[in-house]
Amino acid sequence: MKLEDANETSLLRLFDPMEFWPAWKLYLPVVPWIAFLSFRSLRPGSFSSLGFGTIAAANPGIPLGGLVGESKFDILSRLSPEYVLKNFRVDGDSRNEESVEREMRKLGLDFPVIIKPDAGQRGQGVRIARRKEDLRSLLAESNVPLLVQEFHPGPYEAGIFYYRYPGQKSGKIFSITRKVFPRVTGDGKSTLENLVLSHPRFRIQKEVFQNRFPEIWKRVLPSGETLPLTEAGNHCQGTLFLDGKEWMSPELEDEIQKATSPFEDFYFGRYDVRFSSPEELKLGKKFKIVELNGVTSESTNLYDPRFSVRERYTILFKQWEILFRIGRESKGKKAGLFPILAALWNFYKGGRKISDLSV
């Protein structure tokens, strides 16, 4: 199916079970390749980095290169501010409704705003505070540092995967992922539950939508009424990912480089951006950066249901090859196995709490 010939309703019916494989199953065939790249990256006479830790050097300006637990606020503050949605961090003494609203006024922000964990992973815990009452409840539900961010209405969102080899002045866009937000339209007869269960994609994530809309789950949607099922561009929250190579252009690549240029110690990752027009995005105009992810970023176009198994693994293998090459060429610090395991343990151990009812 050609994108230019399809509307969003038909696009959302695209489906491939491989999209919803658990991470361990998807990455199992990649493990031998990562092991080979790790062995090839060992420094002569030293096993301190254990090879795999080479990837931590790919982004010297981010702890462990962005492997786990990195601060979104700290990363965004390193980019050219004119490209970034306004944001601030909430923790400690600022963790109350009055302080948050005071900071919002300083930045010229009004409701709605996005609330998410400052060290979130794979889109978990992203919420919209549409009014003061939402803000109050979200602050009470979470005990982790939060990022409060300007809401961009879109309606478009994309993932732009970028890399730059050390020693080179400018980088390249590896891929663009077009994100299509799920929605259902009522027929005056079917409940929201029935509309979700009858859809080839949405039924796979039934529990996500049921938890998000408990009050109207059994309600019949009026004929013609459209209900957006999510407003966050995360695959785990129901968004469809498609290859967006038709949006790639030299102009966009130049602007991404300008946004990145202040962050000299960044070489590899994915920008999530919001914009109002694909034509403007291709010209490198009027897009805003939502966040930037480090070495654990995926080239998320691999989840395009139109791709074959071979095409998906070609993307993954190439992505990891680039990452290890950057790590080897970078002057950043390689990481040993124990610091990596300690960081993972500290991030995932008990005490993290934030609502799972993401937007």
Side-chain angles (χ1 to χ4, degrees), residues 150-186:
E150 175 186 2
F151 175 77
H152 190 296
Y156 296 97
E157 185 169 326
I160 301 177
F161 203 95
Y162 164 95
Y163 70 95
R164 176 171 64 93
Y165 291 119
Q168 295 185 353
K169 292 184 178 181
S170 59
K172 297 287 186 182
I173 292 178
F174 180 76
S175 67
I176 296 181
T177 300
R178 173 182 175 179
K179 302 181 181 185
V180 182
F181 298 107
R183 63 191 62 204
V184 292
T185 301

Side-chain angles (χ1 to χ4, degrees), residues 226-295:
T226 297
L227 174 69
L229 295 178
T230 186
E231 294 184 70
N234 307 117
H235 193 264
C236 65
Q237 302 302 330
T239 300
L240 169 66
F241 285 178
L242 299 173
D243 182 60
K245 59 180 176 293
E246 72 276 9
W247 291 347
M248 296 180 73
S249 70
E251 293 85 357
L252 177 59
E253 193 165 78
D254 287 345
E255 292 302 312
I256 290 295
Q257 184 57 48
K258 290 177 183 177
T260 308
S261 58
F263 200 170
E264 295 181 356
D265 291 333
F266 171 78
Y267 297 103
F268 180 97
R270 188 190 67 245
Y271 286 99
D272 291 331
V273 302
R274 280 256 183 174
F275 52 101
S276 58
S277 162
E279 292 74 24
E280 289 181 335
L281 180 71
K282 287 186 67 174
L283 294 172
K285 297 179 178 179
K286 298 183 180 179
F287 67 87
K288 288 290 185 178
I289 296 169
V290 178
E291 61 183 58
L292 171 60
N293 301 282
V295 298

Side-chain angles (χ1 to χ4, degrees), residues 307-353:
F307 279 176
S308 66
V309 172
R310 181 172 181 173
E311 286 172 315
R312 286 186 172 134
Y313 282 111
T314 296
I315 292 169
L316 271 176
F317 275 56
K318 183 62 176 177
Q319 172 188 319
W320 280 92
E321 182 181 12
I322 291 172
L323 174 58
F324 271 91
R325 176 182 164 182
I326 291 173
R328 289 194 302 270
E329 295 181 5
S330 168
K331 295 180 181 179
K333 183 179 179 181
K334 279 68 173 172
L337 181 60
F338 291 111
I340 290 175
L341 292 177
L344 291 169
W345 170 253
N346 289 333
F347 184 73
Y348 288 108
K349 70 181 180 181
R352 281 201 326 136
K353 175 191 173 188

